[in-house]
Structure formats: structure tokens, C-alpha cells
Amino acid sequence: MRRRSLARVALLFAAPFGVVAQQPTSYKQPPAPIPQMLDAEPLPLVTLSAQRDRMMLVRRAALPSIEEISAPYLALAGDRVNPRTNGSWYETAVRGLAIRNIDGSHEVQVAPPPRGSIISSLWSPDGRNVAFLVRTDSALNIWVADAATGKSRQLTRWNVNGAAGQPCSWATTASLLCRMVIHNRGSAPRAPEIPAGPVVQETEVTTTAGNATFQNLLQNPTDEARFDYYYAAQLASVGLDGNVTAIGKPGIYVVSRASPDGRWILVQALHRPWSYQVPRFRFPTRTDVWSADGRVVRTLADVGLQDRVGGASGAVATGLRQPSWRADAPATVVWVEALDNGDPAKVVPKRDRVLSLAAPYTGEPQALIEVENRFGGITWGRDNLAVVDEFWQKTRKARTWTIDPSTPGVPPKLLWDRSFEDTYANPGSFATTAGRFGLQVVFTTRDGSKAFLIAQGASPEGDRPFLDRFDFGSAKTERLWRSDAPRYEEPIVLLDADKVRFLTRRESLSEVPNYFIRELSAGDRTLVAVTQFKDPAPQFAGVTKQLITYKRNDGVQLSATLYLPPGYDKSKGPLPFLFWAYPQEFKSASAASQVTGSPYRFTRPSGMSHLFMLTQGYGVLDNPTMPIVGEGDKEPNDAYVPQLVASAKAAVDKVVEMGVADRERIAVGGHSYGAFMTANLLAHSNLFRAGIARSGAYNRTLTPFGFQAEDRNYWKARDVYMTMSPFNYADSIGVPILLIHGMADDNTGTFPVQSERFFAALKGNGKRARLVMLPAEPHGYRARESLGHTLWEMTEWLDKYVKPPRSRAN
């Protein structure tokens, strides 16, 4: 009875003259061949051992059922906890694991557990073993497999605690550090049948800093008790011999990582007071270094509740943040502190400082570098080399430095100072290799004078990934290799610096992505296949793909990927079309004009992809760029609507000019911010015949402390919030719009009420609309039934309102 009730979707209709019907229905299947493609096993995921001598092929499982997705969860402090397993509600099972040598010479299947499903896996530092997490009906367990034979075994019967994320990490090559469920913790807290009293919150006059509209927050004392119950864990060392040793006292640990030499433990624990306004990543934290037996050696920081950070770009927590271990040292802990109290509005010469402290943690921390902007990350190399990134969202500035960690007083050396919007000029990221502790460090030549850069290679012809050699002395690069048409090939990892031997992932419009080894030494440009994956959805093979460019009326160049259905012949006339897009903000028109994507990628739709519509006779314009530009002191969103409409008009004009699209039969759609875009385009233009808006937000007064890339709050930019809210223009939408929303949406700002209220506004204004609320679904729909029904809805909507000539459309 329960499953039958869950398998029903409420569909609300608004007829042209305000006649409203409400009809329950069962889940529908989209037309062929979409179901067969949905159920096909996707290509395996690939992970590499630290030594790059083995690869693990992760076979992905079938889509979960609505029965699995609708299983109860607890919304606690920004998370969704599975109370049966004490793990995350979002865990996704895999079909199985296989391990093969990097040259493809040997492959073994990892023996699956007799019951339960594998949900995650971790290579050991020496690459000889793989630990994996197994979910049963009532618990999470840790298993291990021998990488050479595939033989596996359960390490302990003591259940692990996955509420706060990945519960285990390798401490040494022979042991793991795990967060375990506390023994004999008793029964889970239950809500009282009769409330003891109201839930009260109070605020006082203080500094202003509004929070984003987070979801799944704590709401009452019962939630607080449940948070304590499910998140409290016992740290333990789990040996490959099965021995388990408890370490320290139980606590709510969100960081628990052994030092590279295995002798120390970096621990970050949450402590009260909890908050009903922010998720757990802003709760008070205490960060300590422990000895391997659980003794507190040094308290690095005790940071209070961060409930007034705000949502402005560049706003961060005060005090210690991002604690980690230095990858190339035995036991040096590193962290970041804001020099501006985390407030981006403050004018200061430097905003962030990177600090380090080495064992035995008795001295004072050393400052490795202070940066003008926000710290963006660090890649360790060796005693005298590390690479540090900084960025500033407001100006789109990015800088990269090298530092000498062994001599903190030595000034850093600037490598690049650029705009991260300028993708054409992106030099890439440094290739890494396993260091002496099995962790990733910068891959340099033997003398340490050169390193290697791997980049996406954005260009006016589309993405062309490349591999460069970088000279630290001259700061010059040498192009070693670049992907050429008609294929898209990206370097994955460098295997040998001397021979310039590297693993790539290679594909084309008709060639399935597979892994190859390239070697460039001595003029030899050999290419050896490592995998032989097959096409998971041959039904899509006849689709054609083209990267197109065109200009907006203000001169900004735009681009899109044009897809045409199998067997399409332009001589038969133009097609009905679906545009699917997602706007993006820029600070310069030149950056907004850059081409994105590649015309040579192998494409197969999955999940709720709009590309499935190609199998139903529609052309699709995928990701037509919709840049919102605000140069200089101007904010992009001050001109959101006119720029959005201008971009859409340019796209329509282009495909009509090409002769492939019928101007009178074009629909527009999008998901999340793309749904918001869709509603605005229908409200402010007459370019489209219909719209499809999935899981969007339509009234920006319900996200008053910022949204997407908008930093200003509602009270500082009332006109912007009002003008950008399509809810305010529901009376101007003159074509049919399909609204779809997950009833358990977990995304910040896109509460289901957004679609419900927008539909009510459309209905009240006599507009043609349809609202589909998907039971149990989060922001990204997961269940097979929901995905199939979503695609059925989209197909039916387009067939009814877009495919027929206008005179025959209902």
C-alpha cells in the first residue's frame, strides 16, 4: 500500500480560461528508445593508484528506484542522514570494481560482498590494496581487497559512522583511521508526542550578515538530540589484520586524518552551541593534533559559531579554516586564517595567511605566505617548492605563486596574474605524482628545474587539451602535445617525465571515450590502448553535432552546440527546436565572448538530459551562452533582462538563418538557474513557443540575502530583485510553461514552494501552465521512475505545444 501511494504524482493543470483540474496519475514511461537508453549501464568511472601503475574501473549501478529514494531520512544541520545505516542518504551504490594494470596486461574483478552494496572505494598509499565501504540494510562496513588478486574481506564487524561524510582514510599502508558508531549508544531520540512548548529564536542588534536560504537545518530540540546521536563517533585504527583499536574519546568529528608518516592525527570536532540558521560546516569547531594513541598534543584553534559570515563573495569564517597535512612532509599541519576577519568589505593589504606547524608541535606556527585575495589552494612539491593559488571573485582575479616552505622569509615568486574568466589564457594545473608518502606532489624533472602543466585548452576552435613543460627559472612554457581535430583527447596523468609518457582519455563524435598511453620521447609518438569500452547507447549514434558561433547585438560573441536528430535532412525543412541553457555572469565582454566546449566530444544522454529529445525528432541547441556582463563598476545583474533577451534572440536568429530551425516552433528550457532564465525569457520576450522550467526559483524576495552570483541583498538592490523575479511578471507570460520540481528539493534557495507559488500566480492570471511535483526527489532527480516521468512530461509538452504548426497547436 505504501509503495503504491508513493508512485503517484500530483499534476495540476491551468486551462486557458482558468478551469483547473487536479488529476492523480501513476508514473509514465517516455517513448522509445528513451527507456532503453535510461536503463543502459553507463561507461565505468576510472580511478588510479597513487603510483599510477594500476587503474580501478568502477561499474556504476542502475538508477535507484522510487522505493529506495523515498526511504526515510533525517534532515540534520544541512545534511540528510539515513537512520538505518548511520550514513548519508545520498550514497550511491556501484555494480562492482575491477582492477587492471595501467598497460592493460592484467585485470581482476574485486570479489563482491555476499550482501550489501559497494558505495565508495579508496586506494592504499602503496597501491597494493583497495578499501571499500559496503552498505547493508542496517549498517556501513569497511572491507578491503588485494589489488593483485581481487580477493576481498570484511575488516571488522564494528559499523562505521558515515553521517559526516567519508568515514575512513588510510593511516598507513597497513591500517585505516575510521569514525565508528559508538557502542551501546541506546535508542535514537524520538520526538515527543505532545510538544513541551514553542521553539523560540531571538536576535539582538549586532553586525549585519544575512545567511543564504539553507535547507535541512536543525529545527528543534529533538533535531539537536538526533544530531548528537547520529554524528557522535569513536575514532579507531582498523588494521588489515582485522584488529581494531579505539583512539581518544567519542566526539562529533568532521576531520580525522593521519599524518603522512602515520604518527599523528589531525582532528576537527564540532561542539555546541548548535544553530537553527546555518548548516554544520558553520558550527563551532575545535581543531587539535593528537598522538597516534589519542592524546591531545596541541590545540590549534577553537572557533566559535559562524552564523554571521553572510553570503557575499569573498566572505569566509574567522579563525582557522581548511586544516590539512603537508603532502611532502612527515607531519606538518597547514591551515589558513583570514587577515580581514573574513569580511570582504574591509580594505586591507592582505586578506589570507597560510600557516604551518611541524611535529612535535611545541613551537609557534610559521607564516608561509600572505595573499592579497582569498587563498585558493596549495600543491606541494618538495622541501623548497610549493605552488599557491589565490583568487578574488568580485574582480575575477587569479594569481599563482611558488614558495619555498623551507625558508618562510623568502618572498614568493609570481607565476601568473590573470583573470580566471579568460579561459583562453588558462595555463592549466601542475601534473602530480606520488611522493614519498604516497600523496600527490608536483611532478618535476629529475633536477627539479621543470614541471608539467595539463590544461583544458580553451580556444576559438573549442577545447583542445594540452600538455606543457614549464621552466621554473625562466617561467617559460614549451608545448609538448595538443589535442587535434577531429578528436577530443585530454591528458589525465603524467607517467614518466623523461619519456614524456602520459595517460589520456580519447574520444570523438563516433568513438567511445577510452584510455590510452602516449609516449613522446625520441620522436616516438606511440599510442597504446588501455581500455576498450563499448557504446552504452547506440540508439544515439546517428545524432550530428556542431559547435556554432554568432554575435549578440552589442557585439558580444556567443557560442552553442547544435544537435540534429538521426537521419535529419535539411532539404525536408526546418525542425522544431528545444533550447537548453544556463546564464553566467562576467566582468568583461571579451571573456564572455570566448567559446566553450568542444565539437568532438562523444555524447550520450543520461538521467534527465534534455538531449533525449533528439530521439523524438527535435533539434537541440545545447548551452547557448547567455552571458550577463557588468564591466568596471557595473554589476552584471543590473542589465540582466535586456542582455538575457538579446542573447536568446541572437541564438534564435542564428539557427533560423542556418535553415535548421522553424522560428515558430522553438521552446526554451533549463534546470535550476536555467529554469529561472526560462521563466524570465517567456515573461520578457515573444521568441519561444513554450517553456520547460525544472526546479527553479522565481521570486527573489524569498532569497533576500543573495542568489547565484548576486552579492547584494534585497534591501541594497530592491529594483534588481524585483525586476529579475519572473513571479512579478506572471501576467506577461503568453505561452505554455511546464514546471517540474522535486518535493524534497535540497538546494539552497530552490524550495518547492517557489514552483507552487509561481504556478498559483500563473493560474490566477489565466495562463496555460502545468505543475509536476515529484515525490521524494531532491534538486537533481534520482529515481528511475521520476526520471522516466520527467522525460515523458517533457516529450508530451513539446509534442503538444511545439511540434505542430502554430495553427494546429492547442
Side-chain angles (χ1 to χ4, degrees):
M1 187 71 179
R2 172 179 171 276
R3 184 171 184 179
R4 180 179 299 174
S5 64
L6 285 170
R8 306 184 74 81
V9 183
L11 301 178
L12 303 178
F13 300 85
F17 304 105
V19 179
V20 180
Q22 181 172 320
Q23 298 180 359
T25 183
S26 59
Y27 289 103
K28 304 293 187 182
Q29 284 286 343
I34 299 177
Q36 294 78 13
M37 297 171 70
L38 269 179
D39 295 330
E41 182 177 338
L43 296 176
L45 299 176
V46 174
T47 65
L48 300 172
S49 64
Q51 293 71 25
R52 315 306 200 197
D53 59 344
R54 289 188 173 114
M55 61 168 48
M56 180 160 49
L57 310 181
V58 182
R59 293 182 58 212
R60 289 178 276 181
L63 295 168
S65 68
I66 189 62
E67 184 173 23
E68 181 178 349
I69 294 302
S70 60
Y73 64 83
L74 299 173
L76 299 173
D79 297 332
R80 291 183 175 179
V81 175
N82 183 336
R84 297 175 301 156
T85 65
N86 214 120
S88 171
W89 178 77
Y90 297 98
E91 293 160 351
T92 302
V94 301
R95 290 182 188 270
L97 307 175
I99 300 172
R100 65 167 56 183
N101 292 349
I102 197 71
D103 60 4
S105 61
H106 179 65
E107 178 175 318
V108 295
Q109 302 293 320
V110 172
R115 64 188 185 93
S117 303
I118 300 173
I119 58 174
S120 65
S121 54
L122 295 166
W123 281 102
S124 64
D126 60 4
R128 295 181 179 180
N129 293 284
V130 172
F132 55 94
L133 207 59
V134 174
R135 179 188 63 202
T136 67
D137 290 338
S138 60
L140 297 177
N141 301 123
I142 189 70
W143 285 57
V144 70
D146 184 295
T149 66
K151 292 182 179 179
S152 65
R153 66 188 190 282
Q154 185 172 338
L155 287 181
T156 174
R157 297 293 177 183
W158 191 352
N159 300 334
V160 298
N161 187 328
Q166 177 59 252
C168 295
S169 59
W170 286 93
T172 68
T173 58
S175 66
L176 295 112
L177 179 64
C178 295
R179 295 192 288 268
M180 317 298 290
V181 171
I182 296 175
H183 282 315
N184 303 318
R185 62 179 176 173
S187 300
R190 299 179 62 182
E193 294 184 4
I194 301 176
V199 176
V200 177
Q201 299 181 61
E202 185 174 354
T203 185
E204 298 177 353
V205 177
T206 184
T207 56
T208 59
N211 290 302
T213 46
F214 297 114
Q215 301 204 43
N216 300 310
L217 301 177
L218 302 179
Q219 297 185 28
N220 51 53
T222 300
D223 281 352
E224 293 189 54
R226 286 170 171 164
F227 182 75
D228 291 334
Y229 179 86
Y230 286 103
Y231 283 77
Q234 174 66 60
L235 292 187
S237 173
V238 181
L240 294 185
D241 57 4
N243 288 329
V244 181
T245 304
I247 303 173
K249 296 179 180 179
I252 299 180
Y253 302 113
V254 291
V255 173
S256 51
R257 299 284 300 187
S259 61
D261 65 3
R263 298 180 58 194
W264 313 87
I265 304 173
L266 177 62
V267 174
Q268 189 171 72
L270 305 181
H271 64 78
R272 287 179 177 269
W274 307 143
S275 171
Y276 294 0
Q277 300 298 316
V278 293
R280 64 175 171 86
F281 65 81
R282 291 191 181 176
F283 284 2
T285 59
R286 172 172 159 156
T287 306
D288 297 314
V289 177
W290 290 5
S291 60
D293 61 1
R295 178 174 53 89
V296 177
V297 175
R298 177 77 175 254
T299 296
L300 300 177
D302 196 331
V303 178
L305 179 66
Q306 302 289 318
D307 61 347
R308 296 192 178 277
V309 173
S313 64
V316 296
T318 57
L320 176 149
R321 70 181 199 273
Q322 297 176 247
S324 63
W325 291 110
R326 180 173 163 177
D328 62 337
T332 298
V333 65
V334 182
W335 67 93
V336 186
E337 291 180 357
L339 298 172
D340 58 1
N341 292 324
D343 184 356
K346 285 191 174 182
V347 179
V348 293
K350 304 285 185 180
R351 292 197 180 273
D352 273 351
R353 174 171 54 198
V354 182
L355 297 161
S356 72
L357 184 63
Y361 316 106
T362 55
E364 291 301 312
Q366 290 185 319
L368 297 180
I369 187 174
E370 292 183 352
V371 292
E372 182 181 330
N373 305 296
R374 284 288 174 243
F375 171 76
I378 188 164
T379 306
W380 299 100
R382 53 180 184 268
D383 290 345
N384 64 347
L385 172 67
V387 180
V388 178
D389 293 309
E390 63 170 294
F391 73 98
W392 194 243
Q393 181 66 35
K394 195 77 170 177
T395 59
R396 309 308 199 261
K397 180 183 286 292
R399 287 177 178 158
T400 301
W401 308 81
T402 57
I403 62 172
D404 180 352
S406 66
T407 313
V410 175
K413 182 178 180 180
L414 181 65
L415 296 185
W416 301 292
D417 186 347
R418 63 185 192 86
S419 167
F420 61 73
E421 283 187 337
D422 184 3
T423 57
Y424 290 179
N426 188 343
S429 301
F430 283 98
T432 61
T433 188
R436 55 177 170 154
F437 300 105
L439 302 177
Q440 294 301 299
V441 298
V442 176
F443 203 150
T444 63
T445 53
R446 292 179 187 273
D447 62 3
S449 64
K450 298 179 178 66
F452 300 83
L453 293 164
I454 294 175
Q456 179 181 332
S459 75
E461 300 84 39
D463 293 345
R464 293 182 58 196
F466 61 77
L467 174 69
D468 281 357
R469 183 158 44 208
F470 178 80
D471 188 306
F472 286 110
S474 65
K476 293 182 178 179
T477 58
E478 174 190 2
R479 181 64 41 86
L480 300 177
W481 177 87
R482 189 176 191 182
S483 178
D484 286 324
R487 294 181 175 86
Y488 177 89
E489 186 173 355
E490 55 181 332
I492 304 300
V493 294
L494 184 65
L495 302 174
D496 188 305
D498 296 328
K499 297 180 179 180
V500 194
R501 186 167 172 262
F502 55 102
L503 182 73
T504 74
R505 187 174 186 266
R506 186 174 188 245
E507 61 191 275
S508 72
L509 289 172
S510 59
E511 293 175 300
V512 178
N514 270 293
Y515 290 82
F516 295 81
I517 292 178
R518 280 192 176 274
E519 187 174 315
L520 307 182
S521 63
D524 181 13
R525 308 183 75 86
T526 58
L527 182 67
V528 178
V530 176
T531 61
Q532 297 81 33
F533 300 146
K534 304 301 182 183
D535 189 344
Q539 303 93 330
F540 207 72
V543 168
T544 60
K545 178 181 179 181
Q546 180 183 355
L547 180 66
I548 62 173
T549 59
Y550 47 97
K551 284 190 176 182
R552 202 163 70 181
N553 58 9
D554 59 0
V556 174
Q557 179 172 283
L558 308 176
S559 62
T561 302
L562 174 69
Y563 290 91
L564 298 174
Y568 171 65
D569 182 351
K570 193 162 67 172
S571 66
K572 297 180 180 179
L575 291 166
F577 250 79
L578 172 63
F579 287 15
W580 199 267
Y582 194 95
Q584 185 177 350
E585 298 80 2
F586 290 88
K587 288 300 292 179
S588 74
S590 59
S593 295
Q594 294 185 353
V595 173
T596 61
S598 167
Y600 306 118
R601 301 297 301 265
F602 181 85
T603 303
R604 293 295 181 266
S606 61
M608 53 184 171
S609 174
H610 51 283
L611 295 181
F612 280 115
M613 297 303 106
L614 287 155
T615 68
Q616 305 304 307
Y618 294 91
V620 174
L621 194 67
D622 190 31
N623 193 30
T625 50
M626 301 279 181
I628 311 299
V629 183
E631 295 191 293
D633 294 333
K634 296 180 180 179
E635 293 293 334
N637 284 338
D638 291 344
Y640 174 84
V641 169
Q643 291 194 53
L644 186 72
V645 172
S647 295
K649 182 179 185 304
V652 169
D653 290 345
K654 177 63 177 180
V655 293
V656 171
E657 176 191 317
M658 293 176 68
V660 296
D662 181 348
R663 188 183 295 274
E664 297 298 317
R665 295 189 296 161
I666 301 177
V668 64
H671 189 87
S672 194
Y673 205 54
F676 172 74
M677 170 210 72
T678 296
N680 267 305
L681 283 172
L682 298 189
H684 297 288
S685 77
N686 59 358
L687 296 167
F688 301 102
R689 182 82 159 268
I692 299 173
R694 297 190 321 219
S695 296
Y698 309 102
N699 184 346
R700 284 303 169 197
T701 66
L702 299 180
T703 56
F705 290 103
F707 57 90
Q708 204 68 10
E710 178 55 65
D711 287 341
R712 298 167 294 181
N713 66 38
Y714 168 74
W715 295 273
K716 292 182 178 179
R718 283 186 175 90
D719 290 344
V720 171
Y721 276 68
M722 298 302 287
T723 302
M724 288 182 68
S725 295
F727 178 87
N728 294 332
Y729 302 92
D731 60 337
S732 300
I733 294 178
V735 298
I737 182 169
L738 170 64
L739 304 174
I740 305 176
H741 214 120
M743 295 173 70
D745 196 318
D746 52 350
N747 184 54
T748 301
T750 53
F751 294 92
V753 70
Q754 288 273 5
S755 288
E756 293 169 343
R757 292 297 87 206
F758 188 41
F759 175 78
L762 292 164
K763 178 178 66 175
N765 279 283
K767 305 300 179 180
R768 184 177 284 127
R770 180 175 174 97
L771 174 64
V772 182
M773 302 298 290
L774 299 173
E777 288 296 346
H779 192 62
Y781 317 148
R782 299 178 64 197
R784 171 62 177 82
E785 292 87 342
S786 301
L787 294 170
H789 190 88
T790 295
L791 294 169
W792 177 81
E793 291 282 357
M794 292 172 63
T795 304
E796 290 288 305
W797 197 252
L798 295 175
D799 283 354
K800 184 175 183 179
Y801 294 115
V802 179
K803 184 172 283 186
R806 184 173 289 276
S807 60
R808 290 196 287 112
N810 293 328

